[in-house]
Amino acid sequence: ILGGSSAGPHQRPYMASLQVDGQHVCGGLLIAEQWVLSAAHCMEDMKGKAFQVLLGAHSLSQPEPHKRLYAVRAAVRHPGSNTETNDDDLLLLQVSAAPLPSARILPFQRQDVDVPPGTLCEAAGWGFTSHSGRKPDVLQQVERPVKSREECNKRPYHDNTITDKMLCTDSRKKDTCKGDSGGPLICNGVAEGVVTAGARVCGNFKKPGIYTRIAAYVDWIDGVMLWTGR
Ligand SMILES: NCc1cccc(Nc2n[nH]c3ncnc(Nc4cccc(O)c4)c23)c1
């Protein structure tokens, strides 16, 4: 997160850190008792190793009573996700045990209606806090206004690559960055989006932040959780 601030300890108990060899790779959000929603592109950073899911954390390094690392029982990428586009960039991870009560589920938007442009939303994550790639120890957060799809699809912005299953936020100075992928965009207390890397540019107003609209995937999400055993 560029231009943000440290979240309060355990202020966002739904936040997940996807880890490989003990290193934070991507964000995620707890959407059901044993299910974490994240981004399919995060699987590209695994190099065939196993993911673990950290829940209940504030600091990545310090021991904390609520923190616990979970093995992944199932990882389901959206069938439409691919390495060439941002389309369908969603990943569902079933964690191996019921999380501690300190981890809390974040409700997600089920009505497939666009968030009105200008709505102030929040992104959170342990991604880069500087262009030089500084990694934070404690969870960062930033408030960003939603940018209309019409505007976001213009040049020099994302030039008609933003589908109706995506949404944009302004990215001037304050933005998501490497390591924030898979984390939530929260508007009025409800998860509306999942961070996708898009052009991978951070903090440049010409490349607004891009998020996968969760409401456009409710049937897939419910199906996977039902089919894999909730
Ligand atoms: N703001 C959109 C967004 C959301 C999530 C991730 C991303 N970026 C990235 N996703 N993956 C990446 N691999 C390498 N570099 C990356 N961005 C980067 C790194 C250093 C300086 C800088 O200006 C940008 C990214 C960008």
Side-chain angles (χ1 to χ4, degrees):
I1 301 276
L2 298 185
S5 58
S6 296
H10 314 298
Q11 184 191 4
R12 297 181 185 278
Y14 44 78
M15 274 307 294
S17 164
L18 305 194
Q19 310 216 331
V20 175
D21 293 338
Q23 289 299 308
H24 171 84
V25 168
C26 271
L29 58 146
L30 190 68
I31 59 160
E33 201 197 39
Q34 290 185 251
W35 290 93
V36 168
L37 182 61
S38 185
H41 283 299
C42 294
M43 297 275 288
E44 293 163 17
D45 310 341
M46 287 171 65
K47 302 176 186 64
K49 296 179 182 156
F51 260 150
Q52 288 177 303
V53 174
L54 181 67
L55 287 172
H58 175 58
S59 160
L60 291 177
S61 66
Q62 300 304 310
E64 296 174 330
H66 305 301
K67 230 167 128 174
R68 186 168 156 196
L69 201 57
Y70 297 84
V72 171
R73 181 184 293 169
V76 183
R77 262 178 295 199
H78 190 283
S81 62
N82 62 81
T83 54
E84 305 312 307
T85 71
N86 297 314
D87 296 338
D88 305 328
D89 188 15
L90 290 179
L91 168 68
L92 273 167
L93 297 170
Q94 186 178 31
V95 293
S96 55
L100 297 175
S102 49
R104 305 300 266 251
I105 289 164
L106 177 65
F108 58 87
Q109 182 59 257
R110 290 180 165 272
Q111 273 197 4
D112 195 352
V113 175
D114 273 333
V115 181
T119 304
L120 285 179
C121 302
E122 298 161 331
W126 287 276
F128 284 4
T129 54
S130 75
H131 288 286
S132 56
R134 189 175 323 118
K135 296 177 180 182
D137 180 53
V138 300
L139 183 64
Q140 301 292 300
Q141 60 189 13
V142 72
E143 190 177 66
R144 290 285 73 200
V146 170
K147 193 181 190 72
S148 75
R149 186 173 298 103
E150 184 192 9
E151 189 67 15
C152 197
N153 266 326
K154 290 177 182 169
R155 282 191 305 281
Y157 306 122
H158 287 298
D159 196 5
N160 289 318
T161 63
I162 307 300
T163 68
D164 58 8
K165 293 182 165 182
M166 300 169 190
L167 75 95
C168 295
T169 61
D170 178 81
S171 51
R172 196 174 160 285
K173 292 196 178 15
K174 300 180 176 188
D175 193 11
T176 48
C177 200
K178 181 173 169 53
D180 292 320
S181 295
L185 182 75
I186 302 150
C187 314
N188 301 313
V190 175
E192 294 279 357
V194 173
V195 177
T196 188
R200 295 191 156 190
V201 171
C202 306
N204 182 334
F205 80 98
K206 290 181 180 175
K207 295 300 169 215
I210 307 173
Y211 307 80
T212 304
R213 290 186 55 250
I214 299 170
Y217 294 90
V218 167
D219 293 346
W220 175 72
I221 291 168
D222 286 344
V224 167
M225 292 197 299
L226 218 55
W227 164 71
T228 320
R230 205 184 286 271

